[in-house]
């Protein structure tokens, strides 16, 4: 075909030396090359190796400090830190955010779950319920649930019977019929007598098919002429009854809860269990009852989980998404906060895609945590977004999206270590918002007009906050307390040194009564030379008396009616 119609792989080699990954009919561009490229660049984390898409190597300024700080997410140095699950972290420095939030442990679990399946989820610190189809079945039906969910007992009448007795219970209950000990009275098609029991499936003829009777187990009863044999429905093996019952009763007291397998095929077919052979159905049912108790502990109480899900949905819906309409950036990229809300609502609803959506306590714990993260960020956005400058809004948006993208990597479970790490990063995000609010404050924006001493103090505080908040190390309670302490000092300075428009209007309403010639006739305000606090001169407003500042006890006022520059009015625009 002609090039513009060819759907095959493009054979062009780009200027960077990599093969074009597009189709032949598409236009080639260096900006589309995403081949991972290793470079040696000094990074703030102390490492030098980065592994990043080829197209980014031309977009990042390796000299600019801002771009260099962004490069740390591509640091390829192995983490290798020992996690709380006792496994070495398999992530890189960049993937683990320099040790702040480690990559999900990928160590093979291999743990055998209560259902008998092998756990497919990496790291056995927290094994979630099995997601395979449940293998619990009876003669009437097969459980339609996932293997890790508690089964619903069969309500059909039990059909275990023989000519001597029958069970009167429901299929899911323990049978009240004891296994019949009478020999089977039936003749086989070959006219030989059956070597089984009354009411049980007839095993193959011992005389016609002796190969089924050649393996011996446990008791040696197999050699007796009157030995009775059982055909296991699940695997079709034939086993002498005395040996089989000895096997089934073995280590019942205080032993591990698990399903019993056929002694012949337990090694070759480890997931094939005795479950439908009715002679031993009570042993099977007792084991299933124990397994159900374990499943409930692992999966959680379904009703409690449903109630918690409903409560989380109510919390999410308390604040309308319309209150966050302004939360966006100029590039119109994906709003991960909105996406997280949509995902949470979908997962927390009992009906998902028109089907029942039961979740385990592990998944509910994950959704609970993700909801708490969402609510914390949502509350902060609703409260403070409008107070940020446009430049600081972009920074806040970037930090929010970055944190949520890391949270979204957790799909089925979350460990205590991860929750602790994420909570620290949420605290860091709160302090980032506080810092951006400081940077957006009118007083900070006009800091250059303040006296040099105050400028230096504010700038030193600002530098210290940035150093702690944007540090690559893990954030902790000590850091948080230090930032809060600085913020309190900054807030006090802002309150003393800046009067908001609302405060100006309040003062005007309280103190001003009339205007004469464009100037108020009563009550004027001045700065104290000692501490900068404001004080009022009543009546005509002229400074013709001397007093003491109520805060620092410095002398305020003057013996003349001339307003000195040091005592200029604090509220120039009133």
């Amino acid at each position: 075909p002609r090039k513009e119609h060819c759907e095959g792989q493009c054979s062009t080699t780009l200027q960077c030396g990599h093969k074009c990954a597009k189709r032949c009919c598409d236009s080639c561009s260096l900006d589309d090359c995403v081949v991972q490229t290793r470079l040696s660049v000094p990074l703030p984390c102390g490492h030098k190796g980065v592994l990043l898409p080829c197209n980014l190597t031309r977009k990042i300024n390796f000299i600019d400090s801002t771009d260099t700080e962004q490069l740390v997410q591509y640091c390829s140095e192995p983490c290798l830190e020992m996690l709380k699950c006792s496994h070495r972290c398999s992530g890189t420095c960049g993937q683990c955010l320099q040790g702040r939030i480690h990559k999900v442990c990928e160590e093979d679990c291999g743990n055998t779950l209560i259902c008998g399946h092998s756990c497919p989820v990496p790291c056995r610190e927290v094994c979630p319920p099995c997601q395979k189809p449940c293998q619990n079945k009876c003669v009437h039906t097969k459980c339609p649930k996932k293997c890790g969910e508690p089964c619903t007992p069969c309500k059909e009448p039990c059909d275990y019977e023989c000519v001597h007795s029958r069970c009167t219970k429901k299929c899911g209950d323990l049978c009240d019929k004891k296994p019949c000990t009478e020999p089977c009275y039936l003749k086989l098609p070959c006219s030989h007598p059956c070597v089984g029991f009354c009411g049980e499936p007839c095993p193959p003829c011992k005389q016609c098919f002796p190969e089924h009777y050649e393996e011996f187990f446990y008791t040696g009863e197999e050699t007796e002429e009157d030995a009775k044999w059982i055909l296991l429905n699940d695997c079709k093996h034939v086993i002498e009854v005395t040996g089989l019952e000895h096997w089934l009763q073995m280590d019942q007291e205080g032993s591990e809860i698990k399903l019993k397998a056929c002694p012949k095929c337990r090694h070759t077919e480890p997931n094939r269990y005795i479950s439908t052979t009715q002679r031993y159905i009570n042993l099977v049912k007792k084991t299933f009852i124990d397994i159900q108790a374990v499943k409930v502990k692992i999966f959680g109480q379904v009703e409690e989980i449903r109630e918690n899900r409903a409560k989380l949905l109510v919390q999410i819906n308390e604040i309308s998404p319309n209150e966050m309409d302004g939360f966006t950036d100029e590039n119109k990229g994906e709003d991960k906060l909105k996406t997280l809300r949509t995902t949470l609502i979908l997962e927390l609803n009992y009906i998902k895609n028109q089907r029942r959506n039961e979740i385990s306590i592990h998944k509910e714990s994950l959704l609970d945590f993700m909801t708490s993260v969402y609510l914390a960020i949502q509350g902060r956005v609703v409260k403070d977004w409008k107070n940020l400058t446009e430049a600081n809004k972009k920074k806040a948006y970037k930090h929010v999206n970055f944190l949520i993208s890391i949270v979204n990597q957790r799909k089925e479970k979350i460990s205590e270590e991860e929750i602790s790490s994420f909570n620290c990063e949420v605290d860091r995000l709160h302090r980032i918002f506080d810092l951006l609010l400081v940077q957006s404050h009118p007083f900070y924006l006009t800091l250059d007009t303040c006296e040099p001493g105050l400028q230096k103090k504010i700038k030193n505080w600002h530098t210290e906050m940035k150093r702690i908040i944007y540090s690559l190390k893990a954030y902790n309670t000590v850091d948080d307390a230090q930032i809060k302490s600085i913020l309190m000092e900054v807030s006090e300075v802002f309150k003393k040194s800046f009067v908001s428009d609302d405060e100006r209007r309040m003062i005007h309403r309280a103190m001003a009564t009339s205007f004469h010639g464009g100037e108020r006739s009563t009550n004027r305000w001045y700065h104290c030379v000692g501490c900068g606090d404001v004080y009022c001169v009543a009546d005509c407003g002229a400074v013709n008396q001397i007093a003491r500042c109520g805060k620092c006890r410095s002398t305020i006022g003057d013996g003349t009616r001339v307003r000195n520059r040091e005592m200029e009015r604090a509220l120039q625009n009133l």
Side-chain angles (χ1 to χ4, degrees):
R2 298 177 63 180
K3 179 176 174 60
E4 57 266 27
H5 302 298
C6 180
E7 297 287 332
Q9 175 69 43
C10 180
S11 59
T12 303
T13 300
L14 302 174
Q15 292 179 357
C16 59
H18 300 131
K19 286 280 188 181
C20 178
K22 291 185 173 183
R23 298 175 303 175
C24 185
C25 59
D26 297 327
S27 59
C28 303
S29 172
L30 278 173
D31 291 336
D32 297 323
C33 182
V34 292
V35 176
Q36 294 295 304
T37 306
R38 189 176 298 277
L39 298 175
S40 180
V41 181
L43 300 173
C45 59
H47 303 134
K48 291 186 177 181
V50 292
L51 191 65
L52 68 165
C54 179
N55 55 3
L56 283 184
T57 62
R58 291 177 294 280
K59 296 178 181 179
I60 291 180
N61 184 343
F62 294 99
I63 299 176
D64 185 84
S65 60
T66 303
D67 281 359
T68 305
E69 288 176 3
Q70 292 177 355
L71 275 175
V72 293
Q73 62 183 302
Y74 299 105
C75 179
S76 59
E77 188 74 16
C79 177
L80 300 179
E81 187 171 328
M82 184 65 74
L83 305 177
K84 289 185 179 179
C85 59
S86 300
H87 296 139
R88 290 281 181 189
C89 179
S90 62
T92 63
C93 176
Q95 291 171 331
C96 297
L97 307 183
Q98 290 67 57
R100 289 175 286 163
I101 301 177
H102 286 282
K103 180 184 176 183
V104 176
C105 181
E106 294 181 344
E107 194 76 18
D108 286 339
C109 176
N111 189 28
T112 300
L113 304 176
I114 187 64
C115 58
H117 294 131
S118 179
C119 178
V121 180
C123 186
R124 67 163 61 192
E125 185 190 22
V126 181
C127 288
C130 183
Q131 297 299 303
K132 292 183 178 180
C134 183
Q135 56 187 359
N136 189 7
K137 60 184 178 180
C138 64
V139 294
H140 304 107
T141 186
K142 186 178 184 298
C143 180
K145 298 182 179 181
K146 292 179 181 178
C147 198
E149 295 182 44
C151 302
T152 302
C154 178
K155 301 298 183 183
E156 295 292 327
C158 182
D159 63 352
Y160 185 30
E161 62 180 352
C162 68
V163 295
H164 303 100
S165 62
R166 65 169 298 161
C167 178
T168 61
K169 300 285 187 178
K170 292 182 179 179
C171 183
D173 300 331
L174 292 176
C175 292
D176 58 4
K177 168 183 163 42
K178 294 183 179 180
C180 187
T181 57
E182 295 294 326
C184 180
Y185 61 89
L186 298 175
K187 290 286 185 180
L188 299 177
C190 60
S191 74
H192 292 131
C194 176
V195 293
F197 284 103
C198 173
E200 308 295 342
C202 294
C205 178
K206 187 176 181 180
Q207 298 180 43
C208 298
F209 303 98
E211 64 273 13
H212 291 287
Y213 300 84
E214 292 176 352
E215 292 187 62
F216 291 175
F217 291 93
Y218 305 115
T219 62
E221 296 286 339
E222 297 91 343
T223 58
E224 300 294 331
E225 286 294 327
D226 59 348
K228 295 300 177 189
W229 301 78
I230 293 294
L231 174 67
L232 297 178
N233 288 341
D234 305 280
C235 60
K236 305 305 179 185
H237 283 135
V238 180
I239 303 177
E240 193 274 325
V241 66
T242 307
L244 179 59
E245 290 179 355
H246 176 76
W247 160 256
L248 292 175
Q249 295 289 348
M250 190 183 299
D251 299 328
Q252 286 293 312
E253 290 296 327
S255 63
E256 180 185 358
I257 298 173
K258 60 182 180 180
L259 293 167
K260 281 290 187 179
C262 166
K264 284 188 177 182
C265 60
R266 61 193 175 101
H267 296 301
T268 57
E269 298 285 345
N271 291 326
R272 182 176 288 174
Y273 301 100
I274 300 173
S275 61
T276 59
T277 302
Q278 289 190 314
R279 185 173 187 84
Y280 305 112
I281 201 66
N282 270 0
L283 283 175
V284 173
K285 288 179 178 179
K286 287 177 181 177
T287 303
F288 271 124
I289 290 172
D290 292 337
I291 289 175
Q292 294 311 302
V294 175
K295 283 186 177 182
V296 169
K297 283 189 175 293
I298 296 174
F299 191 86
Q301 294 287 348
V302 174
E303 292 301 325
E304 289 183 11
I305 294 173
R306 289 181 187 173
E307 290 177 8
N308 291 337
R309 292 166 74 178
K311 291 177 182 177
L312 293 176
L313 275 174
V314 170
Q315 293 177 29
I316 291 175
N317 290 318
E318 281 180 352
I319 299 180
S320 169
N322 295 332
E323 297 187 43
M324 298 187 295
D325 282 346
F327 183 69
T328 183
D329 70 340
E330 60 184 12
N331 297 324
K332 303 297 181 183
E334 181 187 2
D335 182 354
K336 294 188 183 297
L337 187 61
K338 183 178 180 180
T339 303
L340 177 59
R341 174 191 173 90
T342 303
T343 301
L344 287 172
I345 290 176
L346 182 65
E347 292 293 337
L348 288 171
N349 271 307
Y350 175 61
I351 301 298
K352 178 182 177 183
N353 298 329
Q354 299 182 340
R355 300 187 66 181
R356 178 180 59 86
N357 178 34
E358 298 289 7
I359 60 174
S360 70
I361 193 170
H362 298 273
K363 184 66 176 285
E364 189 261 335
S365 297
L366 173 61
L367 293 176
D368 189 352
F369 171 73
M370 294 176 73
T371 300
S372 69
V373 172
Y374 169 77
L375 293 175
I377 297 175
Q378 180 198 48
R380 201 65 201 255
V381 168
V382 170
K383 177 185 175 185
D384 294 325
W385 187 256
K386 60 183 179 295
N387 297 322
L388 298 177
T389 62
E390 290 303 317
N392 287 322
K393 283 180 179 179
K394 293 178 183 178
K395 295 176 182 178
Y397 189 87
K398 182 188 73 172
H399 287 295
V400 167
N401 271 7
F402 179 72
L403 180 59
I404 292 178
S405 66
I406 304 299
V407 173
N408 281 337
Q409 293 176 8
R410 276 64 186 170
K411 300 299 182 183
E412 291 296 330
K413 63 175 184 175
I414 188 167
S415 67
E416 291 298 324
E417 181 177 12
E418 290 173 318
I419 289 177
S420 176
S421 299
F422 274 117
N423 283 334
C424 289
E425 290 306 306
V426 171
D427 289 340
R428 187 198 297 267
L429 184 64
H430 279 302
R431 302 294 83 78
I432 288 175
F433 263 89
D434 289 334
L435 178 62
L436 296 178
L437 285 172
V438 169
Q439 295 174 181
S440 302
H441 195 280
F443 183 81
Y444 185 85
L445 296 175
T446 58
L447 191 60
D448 291 341
T449 63
C450 298
E451 60 180 26
L454 186 58
Q455 281 188 44
K456 183 177 180 181
K457 182 185 290 187
I458 297 293
K459 287 180 178 179
N460 287 342
W461 282 337
H462 182 257
T463 301
E464 181 66 7
M465 285 193 291
K466 286 184 67 176
R467 183 189 68 80
I468 297 173
I469 291 174
Y470 294 126
S471 169
L472 295 179
K473 69 174 186 177
Y475 197 71
N476 55 47
T477 54
V478 175
D479 295 332
D480 203 49
Q482 189 174 351
I483 294 295
K484 287 180 178 178
S485 176
I486 296 175
L487 285 169
M488 288 180 64
E489 295 186 76
V490 172
S491 177
E492 286 298 318
V493 171
F494 282 5
K495 286 179 181 178
K496 292 177 184 177
S497 307
F498 179 79
V499 180
S500 67
D501 290 339
D502 288 340
E503 290 172 324
R504 290 177 189 274
R505 285 189 286 270
M506 290 172 62
I507 293 171
H508 171 73
R509 286 194 298 269
M511 307 303 295
T513 58
S514 63
F515 291 86
H516 295 284
E519 190 172 356
R520 291 177 181 78
S521 61
T522 63
N523 304 323
R524 292 174 181 169
W525 293 79
Y526 302 87
H527 277 299
C528 169
V529 178
C531 64
D533 198 15
V534 293
Y535 65 91
C536 173
V537 177
D539 298 327
C540 69
V543 187
N544 57 8
Q545 297 181 28
I546 295 176
R548 293 284 182 184
C549 174
K551 193 165 189 179
C552 70
R553 309 306 297 168
S554 298
T555 301
I556 58 174
D558 197 346
T560 71
R561 298 179 66 86
V562 179
R563 302 188 189 103
N564 295 328
R565 184 169 59 85
E566 293 81 3
M567 296 183 291
E568 62 185 359
R569 279 176 283 174
L571 309 177
Q572 297 287 341
N573 297 324
L574 286 178

